[in-house]
Amino acid sequence: MVRGKFITFEGIDGAGKTTHLGWFRERLEEKIASGGRSVVMTREPGGTALGESLRELLLNQPMDLETEALLMFAARREHLALVIEPALARGDWVLSDRFSDATFAYQGGGRGLPRDKLEALERWVQGGFQPDLTVLFDVPTNVASERRGAVRAPDKFESESDSFFGRTRAEYLRRAAESPDRFVVIDATQSVVDIQKKLEKVVSSI
Ligand code: TMP
């Protein structure tokens, strides 16, 4: 059995990644359906019953920064063990709305947790495991903040300042520059149609 592929979507809140997830999933399904495989769509924090309970706490409850990072990785361990690893092993593909790049960007870049601590947790929880492909939706913080302003009541992260999101964005871009073969960076200020054209190329190339 050929292992499936693991694809993640990333970006600061308001970058617009969620708009593209459903459409991208359909393109992936079309690509792999003839081989009898399917696409498992999931998200972090979350993706399992325990992970969704942790998400509720993480997005709404003030907590110590290290607790926050540990809970993100605890939810991830559960997600890997119950959802991601079994799906890939049976040959399905997994499309996740965020993964560990988000912890480096938010808890590391945004909140300032030292990178070596996050790297230690990443090694513990994932070993050397990384997505096969990560699509990073990149936008300037002022564009993201306008987009966030248009939605419902903000959660704990969505209420953060532009400077927080500036540091978060910078860490995402640093991670992308560090692993250029894994990342595709999309200028998410473009129109939905132009972004879909780029994503179409991404689907053909994997
Ligand atoms: P979402 O709104 O894109 O579903 O993501 C949930 C929020 O959680 C988002 O504001 C980013 C944040 N987050 C982290 O701070 N660290 C992480 O490791 C993950 C996965 C998400």
Side-chain angles (χ1 to χ4, degrees), residues 104-137:
F104 282 84
Y106 280 78
Q107 283 65 50
R111 298 232 198 277
L113 191 69
R115 200 186 300 156
D116 58 339
K117 293 197 172 177
L118 296 174
E119 285 168 348
L121 286 172
E122 187 185 41
R123 268 196 305 280
W124 180 9
V125 168
Q126 294 164 227
F129 178 81
Q130 288 292 347
D132 296 289
L133 170 75
T134 297
V135 183
L136 172 59
F137 291 81

Side-chain angles (χ1 to χ4, degrees), residues 184-205:
V184 172
V185 181
I186 298 219
D187 171 3
T189 60
Q190 299 173 98
S191 70
V192 169
V193 172
D194 285 339
I195 292 175
Q196 285 179 349
K197 283 186 193 148
K198 294 256 160 55
L199 292 175
E200 199 79 74
K201 288 192 187 137
V202 171
V203 172
S204 327
S205 71

Side-chain angles (χ1 to χ4, degrees), residues 59-101:
L59 267 54
N60 298 301
Q61 175 103 25
M63 62 182 74
D64 170 76
L65 166 56
E66 302 212 357
T67 309
E68 188 175 277
L70 288 162
L71 288 181
M72 289 291 180
F73 271 105
R76 184 159 302 129
R77 183 61 233 146
E78 193 76 359
H79 195 204
L80 277 163
L82 269 60
V83 176
I84 300 173
E85 285 168 353
L88 297 178
R90 65 176 182 261
D92 287 337
W93 288 29
V94 177
L95 174 59
S96 184
D97 187 349
R98 301 190 186 281
F99 191 61
S100 45
D101 295 308

Side-chain angles (χ1 to χ4, degrees), residues 9-18 44-45 55 58-59 65-66 68-69 72-73 76 97-114 118 136-137 139 141 144 148 155-161 163-175:
F9 270 29
E10 296 281 0
I12 61 173
D13 289 278
K17 70 182 162 48
T18 311
E44 287 205 354
R55 178 188 177 92
L58 281 160
L59 267 54
L65 166 56
E66 302 212 357
E68 188 175 277
M72 289 291 180
F73 271 105
R76 184 159 302 129
D97 187 349
R98 301 190 186 281
F99 191 61
S100 45
D101 295 308
T103 320
F104 282 84
Y106 280 78
Q107 283 65 50
R111 298 232 198 277
L113 191 69
L118 296 174
L136 172 59
F137 291 81
V139 278
T141 53
R148 283 197 305 280
D155 64 34
K156 198 175 88 184
F157 294 102
E158 289 163 339
S159 328
E160 285 289 349
S161 63
S163 65
F164 172 91
F165 283 110
R167 295 190 299 277
T168 304
R169 180 189 186 201
E171 177 62 9
Y172 267 132
L173 291 171
R174 191 197 65 76
R175 295 272 288 177

